[in-house]
Structure formats: structure tokens, C-alpha cells
């Protein structure tokens, strides 16, 4: 079945450092790919998405590019802030929308001032 | 809109008791999802509805779990009888077709 593998956390960075969170996926078709973020005590929020190969999703300084050849969707940000501290989830959906979202285990990011 | 509203936020119950979790989706959304989050298994889709009809309940772990959506603005997830291994955070989410899912703040269930 479909699956998503994220790099193990936790990740601890200093403010203004560069962030990469690796995500690879296994799917039978051509899924849509997502990054969700979960702030402490809250539900998940969509951060960005990409629906086809070579698409780049971006939001709030975060970016991720849909790489079909490497089945990857790595999350990057050039300069993290303390307010970016959260848990980040990579996810896929074979159906394009939110039906049957398959999530990775999540990566906890802590940014220190 | 107030977003997806879940109640209660926290629930502590004794093993063997019935537990009911509630969800009010965003008005106008026609998909509703129930997820369970644990440290061991991460986020798992339990069941989802389209236009109040259950579409896929393959993630429901056992017959002790049941979910209903009697109308477009309300859904329940019931566990009867509850067991300690059911302790988790349960999320409800809603969406329109082919759009992002909006999550509630979750219900943290502790079964002692």
C-alpha cells in the first residue's frame, strides 16, 4: 500500500538556520503530496502542496518540490524562526484531495533563539 | 467560520466505559474524516464520510469503534467498551472535494 517516510526527529536548530526535512513516498499511481504543520495543542494545518511532478509548493518561506524520479518531497526553509517550532507531517493522497490522506510519522522541529 | 469544532477537548474515562467524541465540521464541507494520533502509529485515518454517508471505514480498529453522521453538521465517534490502548488524540477534519482538509483541535482521550 501507499506509505510516507520522513526523517526521524527531533530536529533542533538555531534561529536563521537552514532547514531540510526529508520525505519520500511509495505509491502505485501519481499522488498529490502535502506538508502539514501541527503547532502545540492544535490540529494540523496545510502548509503547502504539489499535485504533479516538478510542481513546487511554497508558503510562509517553506518550499517543497515534487520529485517523481526520486519519489521525494523534501521540505526546506532558508531561515527558520522560533515561531516555526512545531511538528511537520508529510502526506500523500492518491485521489488528489483530502480523501485517504496517508501521513508520515511527523518530525518535531525546535528552533532556539 | 469557527473551523472544525471537537468536543470534549480532554476525556478521561475508566476501562469498560462508553466514550463518545463529537465533531462539527465547517459549514458547507461535504467530506468528514476521523483520525487517531498515537506516538507508536502516528496519524491513522479511521473512517471518512461523503455527504453524511460512510465511504471507507477500513481504518476502524475493531467493532468496539463506531461512527455516525446523522446530518451535515454533526458526527460522533463512539468507543464501547473503551480500553487503555484506545488512549490517543482523536482528530476530526472536514473538506470539500479535492481541497485541503481542515482539522479540529482534537480530543485527547485517556482510558485508565
Amino acid at each position: 500500500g501507499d506509505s510516507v517516510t520522513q526523517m526521524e526527529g527531533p530536529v533542533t536548530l538555531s534561529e536563521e538556520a537552514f532547514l531540510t526535512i526529508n520525505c519520500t513516498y511509495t505509491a502505485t499511481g501519481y499522488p498529490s503530496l502535502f506538508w502539514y504543520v501541527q503547532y502545540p495543542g492544535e490540529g494540523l494545518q496545510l502548509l503547502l502542496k504539489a499535485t504533479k511532478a516538478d510542481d513546487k509548493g511554497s508558503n510562509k518561506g517553506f518550499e517543497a518540490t515534487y520529485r517523481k524520479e526520486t519519489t521525494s518531497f523534501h521540505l526546506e526553509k532558508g531561515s527558520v524562526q522560533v515561531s516555526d517550532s512545531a511538528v511537520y507531517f508529510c502526506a500523500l493522497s492518491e485521489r488528489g484531495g483530502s480523501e485517504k490522506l496517508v501521513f508520515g510519522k511527523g518530525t518535531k522541529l525546535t528552533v532556539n533563539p | 467560520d469557527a473551523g472544525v469544532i471537537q468536543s470534549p477537548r480532554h476525556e478521561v474515562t475508566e476501562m469498560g466505559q462508553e466514550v463518545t467524541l463529537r465533531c462539527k465540521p465547517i459549514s458547507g464541507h461535504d467530506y468528514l474524516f476521523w483520525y487517531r494520533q498515537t506516538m507508536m502509529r502516528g496519524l491513522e485515518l479511521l473512517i471518512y464520510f461523503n455527504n453524511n454517508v460512510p465511504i471507507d471505514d477500513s481504518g476502524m480498529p475493531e467493532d468496539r469503534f463506531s461512527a455516525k453522521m446523522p446530518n451535515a453538521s454533526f458526527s460522533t465517534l463512539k468507543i464501547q467498551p473503551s480500553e487503555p490502548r484506545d488512549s490517543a488524540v482523536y482528530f476530526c477534519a472536514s473538506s470539500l472535494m479535492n481541497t485541503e482538509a481542515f482539522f479540529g483541535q482534537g480530543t485527547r482521550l485517556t482510558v485508565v
Side-chain angles (χ1 to χ4, degrees):
Chain A
D2 295 348
S3 66
V4 174
T5 303
Q6 288 181 238
M7 64 184 286
E8 294 284 329
V11 174
T12 302
L13 296 173
S14 297
E15 207 164 22
E16 299 184 3
F18 184 84
L19 169 71
T20 299
I21 301 178
N22 290 338
C23 170
T24 57
Y25 67 89
T26 302
T28 53
Y30 300 95
S32 294
L33 302 175
F34 307 82
W35 278 100
Y36 277 82
V37 58
Q38 183 180 28
Y39 298 102
E42 298 186 11
L44 281 73
Q45 305 172 23
L46 180 65
L47 181 59
L48 54 83
K49 69 177 182 182
T51 58
K52 60 183 187 295
D54 300 324
D55 266 2
K56 177 185 283 188
S58 61
N59 186 25
K60 299 181 181 180
F62 291 89
E63 293 183 341
T65 301
Y66 190 142
R67 301 287 188 200
K68 181 167 168 285
E69 63 276 13
T70 55
T71 61
S72 65
F73 193 54
H74 305 321
L75 182 68
E76 297 182 335
K77 186 174 185 182
S79 176
V80 294
Q81 306 299 312
V82 172
S83 57
D84 295 326
S85 298
V87 181
Y88 292 82
F89 293 88
C90 185
L92 69 80
S93 172
E94 289 272 21
R95 302 187 186 186
S98 299
E99 304 98 285
K100 302 283 282 186
L101 276 169
V102 175
F103 286 90
K105 288 283 185 73
T107 303
K108 183 175 182 179
L109 170 67
T110 301
V111 180
N112 295 318
Chain B
D1 200 314
V4 176
I5 300 173
Q6 292 186 246
S7 63
R9 289 293 310 278
H10 303 273
E11 176 80 41
V12 180
T13 191
E14 292 186 346
M15 183 173 63
Q17 296 298 306
E18 178 181 293
V19 176
T20 299
L21 312 182
R22 296 173 174 78
C23 175
K24 176 177 166 54
I26 292 173
S27 177
H29 282 189
D30 52 2
Y31 283 85
L32 185 138
F33 309 87
W34 282 101
Y35 285 89
R36 178 171 68 175
Q37 184 180 38
T38 62
M39 290 294 292
M40 290 296 294
R41 300 174 67 91
L43 268 162
E44 304 172 280
L45 177 65
L46 300 178
I47 185 172
Y48 77 94
F49 296 82
N50 178 220
N51 292 322
N52 313 338
V53 176
I55 302 300
D56 188 336
D57 66 354
S58 59
M60 296 285 263
E62 302 170 35
D63 290 346
R64 298 184 296 107
F65 286 69
S66 63
K68 294 182 179 179
M69 192 164 185
N71 57 63
S73 58
F74 183 65
S75 177
T76 59
L77 178 68
K78 186 176 293 187
I79 308 172
Q80 166 63 17
S82 58
E83 297 182 3
R85 60 194 168 116
D86 302 330
S87 297
V89 180
Y90 291 81
F91 287 103
C92 177
S94 70
S95 76
L96 295 168
M97 179 183 280
N98 292 330
T99 65
E100 69 175 285
F102 290 82
F103 283 74
Q105 291 187 293
T107 295
R108 181 174 295 276
L109 173 65
T110 303
V111 183
V112 298

